[in-house]
Amino acid sequence: MSQALPQAHQPDALLLDVQNLQKSFGGVHALSGVSFSLKAGEVHALVGENGAGKSTLIKVLSGVHKYDAGEITLAGAPFKPTDPHFAKAAGIQVVHQEFNLLKDLSIAENISIEAFPRKRFGLLDRAEMKARARRALDAIGLNDVDVDAPVRSLGIAHRQLIEIARALQTDSRILILDEPTATLTERETSRLFEIIAGIKAKGVTVVFVSHHLDEVFAICDRVTVFRNGRTITTEDIAETSPEGIVRHMVGRNLAQQEKEIHVPIDKDVVLSVSALQTSQNPDPNGVSFELHRGEILGIAGLVGAGRTEVLRAIFGADPIRSGVITRNGHALNINGPRDAIAAGIGFVTEDRKDEGLILDMPIAANSSLVNIRQVSRHGLLDFARERQMAVEGGTRLKLKYGKTSDPVSSLSGGNQQKVVLAKWLANDPEILLLDEPTRGVDVGAKAEIYAILKGLAANGMSMIVVSSELPELITLTDRMLVMSENSIQGILMPQDYDQETILKLAYGQSDVAKGPTQ
Amino acid sequence: MSSAHEANIAARGKSFSLKAILNNAGIGLALLLVIAFFSVTTEHFLSSNNITNILTQITINLILAVGMTFVILIGGIDLSVGSVMAFAAVVAGKAITLPGLGVTELILLACLAGVLAGLVCGILNGVLSAYWSLPSFIITLGMLNIARGAALQISGAQTIYSFPFVFEEFGSKLIYGVPVVFLLALLLVLIAWFVLNRTVFGRLIYGIGNNEEAVRLAGHPVFWYKVAAFTICGLTAGIAAIVYMARLSIASPIAGIGFELNAIAAVIIGGTSLSGGRGSVIGTLLGAFIIGVLANGLILIGLSDFMRQMITGVVIIIAVILDHYRARLSAS
Amino acid sequence: MSSAHEANIAARGKSFSLKAILNNAGIGLALLLVIAFFSVTTEHFLSSNNITNILTQITINLILAVGMTFVILIGGIDLSVGSVMAFAAVVAGKAITLPGLGVTELILLACLAGVLAGLVCGILNGVLSAYWSLPSFIITLGMLNIARGAALQISGAQTIYSFPFVFEEFGSKLIYGVPVVFLLALLLVLIAWFVLNRTVFGRLIYGIGNNEEAVRLAGHPVFWYKVAAFTICGLTAGIAAIVYMARLSIASPIAGIGFELNAIAAVIIGGTSLSGGRGSVIGTLLGAFIIGVLANGLILIGLSDFMRQMITGVVIIIAVILDHYRARLSAS
Amino acid sequence: DDKPVVGLVMKSLANEFFQSMLAGAEAHAAERGDFELIAVGMQNETDFEAQINAVDNFITQGVDAIVVAPADSRAMVRPLKKAVEAGIVVVNFDVALDTEAKEQQGFELAFVGPDNRGGAAMAGDALGEKLGEGAKVVIIEGNPGADNATQRLLGFQDSVEKYKLELLDSRTAHWETEEANQVFSTMLTAHPDIQGVMAANDSMAVGVVKALEAAGRDDIEVVGFDNIPAVAPMIEDGRMLATVDQFGQEMAANAIDLALEVLAGGPELEGWVKTDIKLVTAD
Ligand SMILES: Nc1ncnc2c1ncn2[C@@H]1O[C@H](COP(=O)(O)OP(=O)(O)OP(=O)(O)O)[C@@H](O)[C@H]1O
Ligand SMILES: Nc1ncnc2c1ncn2[C@@H]1O[C@H](COP(=O)(O)OP(=O)(O)OP(=O)(O)O)[C@@H](O)[C@H]1O
Ligand SMILES: [Mg+2]
Ligand SMILES: [Mg+2]
């Protein structure tokens, strides 16, 4: 499997050259003229709004999709990837935006899936496989994860790391990472950057997709900007600025975020959680906090801190072990999502593919999934109303789509995420739980989503936001819980928001006293 | 996988007739080819008598397949329909041969009893598989045995016969050459189409087949929807039992052996995905037609039984291959 | 869904014997309960004679179920195994009754011919369903008809009989009361277990059932793996045919009707997920035992045929419910 | 051409009894050469609808005569009545239509065929003769609900009564060799003192014989029904006591001849035209 590493390349030699690449899906022109080039040994960023065509380019390069027109040259020779195997053999390794894991297989097996270590006669060398997996996990900082555990038991961030570890297993000439940091917290992200630096030093060329420009500026040498299926420009990082890139991305100057007026929080407690113990939670004291009307409460923490579990427990998605949840002062008996929704609670899940969307069904059907009663009468669907609602939701969230009758699977990752949001906003809940709400959403849209959420909060909607992006929590929330190992380490007010404090709490090593609920 | 497109259409609830039929065109094409072939190779195929025959012959399979479509759309399967049909027939047969009642009461009672028997089996299938999230394959395999055993036990393995004349007549009545029982089946197809494409219930049936968890998290009572799908399937098995009795003038405890495979085949040939979430009841209608026309035509051209069986197998495979190419074409 | 845990274990390829058996304990428990029940209620159940009987009786189903496990693990299904078995038996029967050859040659030739016949059917199933990504349900339903028709055609619907004595003897030979054919089946289970858990091929079989696209993206030739799974299933059908012939001294073109459902039931009762990716061949072994023990024990306690059929259904359902609770317990 | 067309409705042609019957009919058609034969079977034993469909199809095709072996003695009454009303000569053979059902429909049709019950009694009698009064016997039945299975069971019960045999158990094996093998080996465990077995057809008898071999028992007598070729060596070497031959080979051919006679203007058939049955034993 292993290729000769391209050590021999002189720096700056063109490794890959793409000229005027075109690709359309039915009537949608996903790529309508993409040109870019990779220099050997560089880290090259691809940025652009949701649906700009980044993932499509990557899928073409990795042999998932065939392209319609254009030319690709790899190391001087024409390159026409026909299937994933072909692209891999040519030394192109990809971590796709959507996960491609085998959930019932062990972590070790997932990591080795591309080239299992074999003994004679096709026998699996399990000792070697586990050893490799151990090394791979240690390298990306997952020291405490058992390589024999099935992937099914992992949270979404861990899954992302497994994907990365897998890609790093094979020696490659070009490593493409499509939004690898979307689900990672600071700790994992910086770990990843060290790894990228390491393989870059070995001469591997890295393509990096991210909506976080700070990341792009931290590790990349050059950046190519996509807009509407075209490449707008490629610039050296040293010679550009975040503002410049955003200008290229959206084709205009982004209005400066207005200094926000802080709306004083209503003191009514709409939801209170006391001593909540989820089925995975070993802490006998459980989790306790209160949520006020119109408040946006953030939950920070490292991957695996148990944040998702808290939201799932409140929403009734998983059974709880013990604890009391009260709503407007009355104890709630939540036996399932149904009860939670009836109590005016909504839940934007973190894994849109498995939990959020019905991928094969139309955008309209997905956006009306929760409030389907509102677009029906006596059980009969009112298609016009449903379409209208989908269009409204789409417009509100700047969804980039063809028709509301297109299946959600035809949308780009970030746009899919917007459909999940639209679905819950359409139901107009009083309390909205959001787990990684802007995962994979581009900078511009993100700002708009923040504005929308703040507007809703100002009108009295309360929210709990779990996010792995501290800047997101810092801009969005009125108060922040920090969790570590399934318990709350502290509660911070905006004036105390500060990366260092938060991280310390998140690592569970702060001497800040465990704050009271209020 | 082959039918993503038409399923989307179905899920979107586009206009009936033309579009739906076009989107089932792969299977429609296969059907047309088969019809064309038999029309030129055999003398009687297109005779009005034979058309009547074909319509009669596909009726029971079609009725069973309509209910099966619901179950397969939620990602389940129902292996028990043949046995449940026999059980319902025996129950209805016992009812209709009760002494001392008027003809109308007897018929009403029998229909009610048969349909109810089917319904109960369906509810059991649904509750058992949905409550414990058990594979419906195995639950309905259990029901296959239970219902068959019950049918044999209740009837003492004796065929029940001698039904009121009007009842038997209903089984062979024609309206302009079209059997009334076929019209009944067609009505069921239309109702199913409407329910699947125009109602919230139908939308969620598709949703559950696609991503049960997403539907659950959207606050819908997935359990009840699943039970409902199986119940509908049991209901159609009960209706099929009544039609069977009217058509054959008997209620046999060994009726319907292997009918489940035919019904499932109609659904799948019609482009519904066995893993759920994609498909349409119009496809099921065409699938049932293919199976029925093949059975009829191959007899007419005088093939030996064994050749007939082999060719049936070959044509079924070719039909789905054709459908595959249709799906590819319409996708691009 | 009910068997996530044991499947995980299986998928991880933990040590054979103890752990695997513990993790199949739900079904093992059901089996033990059934055995305990029959041991106290009937006199002869635990007699060595009867144990020999049971072992003989589950042999063919077990052999078929081993191959079926591969197909179900990749998310497919093979409805044709019963027919393919009959086809292979007829082919082997034709071979073994050829005139003018020595006994050893005849037997070798027959075994080769039978296994090859099964293999070819399996390859066809695999290629047709994998190449066009068609639902294997419908492809193998086609093959069910084709193979059965071919078996009838080749044999002229006549039972083939009068085989060499050593061949017949093999079918009923015992070693310490254990039928040799059962040992053969057990050997197949062990090989299958080894292949599934210890080889790259086996892990990718699980992988394909889990997420075919991911395996494809990892650069593996999914097509060939799928063909291989169906080929193995065809192969075991061929082996089952040879065992059938040796055991009954005949090759009947109508053998094996409905065997596919029994084989699938063994696999699913054994905890393998019908949607693929999860399960173990040890589970299949236990599943086959449950079915076999039930069939035997219910006759011994003297239940009437119809009650027996009903109770078989009930016990199958209870077995999977038990397995569900076992999975829940072991998960927490 | 204007040769008369005869439609032959068979039961499952996968069953070798009906297969050889069909072969006989076809040979007969070739020999006579003065009629055209169209034969239709059914996919499986219980596929009653297939036979009704076949009759419907024959009416459509306008055949001159239908010769039918009904899979269900009641279900076929109405379609055959329809055929008669359409002016088609109908001959019922192998299994008689149910008398009550015929009466109820106001329909008369003669039957040409063997006496299944009588035949089974012949086999049972052979068993009783050999084993003597009080012997312990079991029967492996055919498909429950099938007419010939019922008739054969009744016939065997007649013998049981006649010879005062003790009937230990009675179970179905659905006409199948493998199932008969399994069911009988288990019966043998439950009742090791069985002395005789009646299998309702020879395919099942083969399974019974193999079960006896596997159990190492040669003290149990087996009788079957149908006289398929596979049992000939077993009868010869004593593994089976007897079977019953209904001369299926000729049965359809005879029925066709009768139909052609009526077509040619001969007298209508009436009542039960019994055909031969014979007990086959080693000597
Ligand atoms: N399989 C498909 N079928 C139809 N349209 C598609 C398909 N895949 C992508 N598209 C369309 O192509 C366009 C580009 O999508 P792509 O996934 O490349 O965007 P992206 O730049 O990766 O966006 P994001 O940042 O949201 O991941 C979008 O309009 C999308 O809807
Ligand atoms: N179904 C499960 N089975 C076993 N362990 C699980 C399961 N779900 C989550 N976990 C584990 O529980 C811990 C908490 O997970 P959770 O997803 O709640 O964390 P989180 O703070 O939301 O982190 P993330 O950023 O990964 O979402 C993690 O260690 C995770 O691996
Ligand atoms: Mg993308
Ligand atoms: Mg989380």
Side-chain angles (χ1 to χ4, degrees), chain A residues 144-145 150 152-159 183-185 280 299-310 312 318 350 435-436 466-468 483 486:
Chain A
D144 56 343
V145 172
R152 183 175 290 286
S153 68
L154 297 178
I156 195 161
H158 280 135
R159 293 186 189 186
T183 58
L184 300 185
T185 54
Q280 310 277 327
I299 305 185
L302 298 175
V303 164
R307 301 163 298 172
T308 298
E309 279 177 38
V310 170
R312 287 181 67 87
D318 290 331
E350 66 179 341
D435 198 355
E436 312 284 1
V466 165
S467 173
S468 296
M483 286 186 71
N486 294 297

Side-chain angles (χ1 to χ4, degrees), chain B residues 30-116:
Chain B
L31 180 60
L32 281 182
L33 283 179
V34 172
I35 290 178
F37 176 80
F38 288 128
S39 306
V40 297
T41 51
T42 75
E43 193 181 342
H44 302 283
F45 184 76
L46 282 188
S47 73
S48 73
N49 254 339
N50 194 50
I51 292 174
T52 306
N53 283 350
I54 294 178
L55 296 182
T56 314
Q57 289 161 20
I58 70 166
T59 297
I60 287 179
N61 189 28
L62 182 56
I63 295 177
L64 293 174
V66 167
M68 189 68 79
T69 306
F70 283 78
V71 170
I72 294 185
L73 277 177
I74 61 160
I77 199 156
D78 189 346
L79 296 179
S80 69
V81 289
S83 296
V84 169
M85 187 189 98
F87 173 65
V90 168
V91 170
K94 283 279 171 195
I96 209 168
T97 50
L98 282 178
L101 279 174
V103 170
T104 323
E105 288 97 69
L106 277 178
I107 294 181
L108 282 181
L109 184 71
C111 290
L112 205 72
V115 168
L116 218 65

Side-chain angles (χ1 to χ4, degrees), chain B residues 145-146 149-150 152-153, chain C residues 298 302-314, chain D residues 171:
Chain B
N145 284 302
I146 297 172
L152 285 162
Q153 186 76 36
Chain C
L298 290 178
L303 267 185
S304 84
D305 280 337
F306 311 149
M307 286 307 289
R308 187 156 60 93
Q309 192 164 12
M310 288 169 71
I311 289 183
T312 304
V314 172
Chain D
R171 290 191 178 278

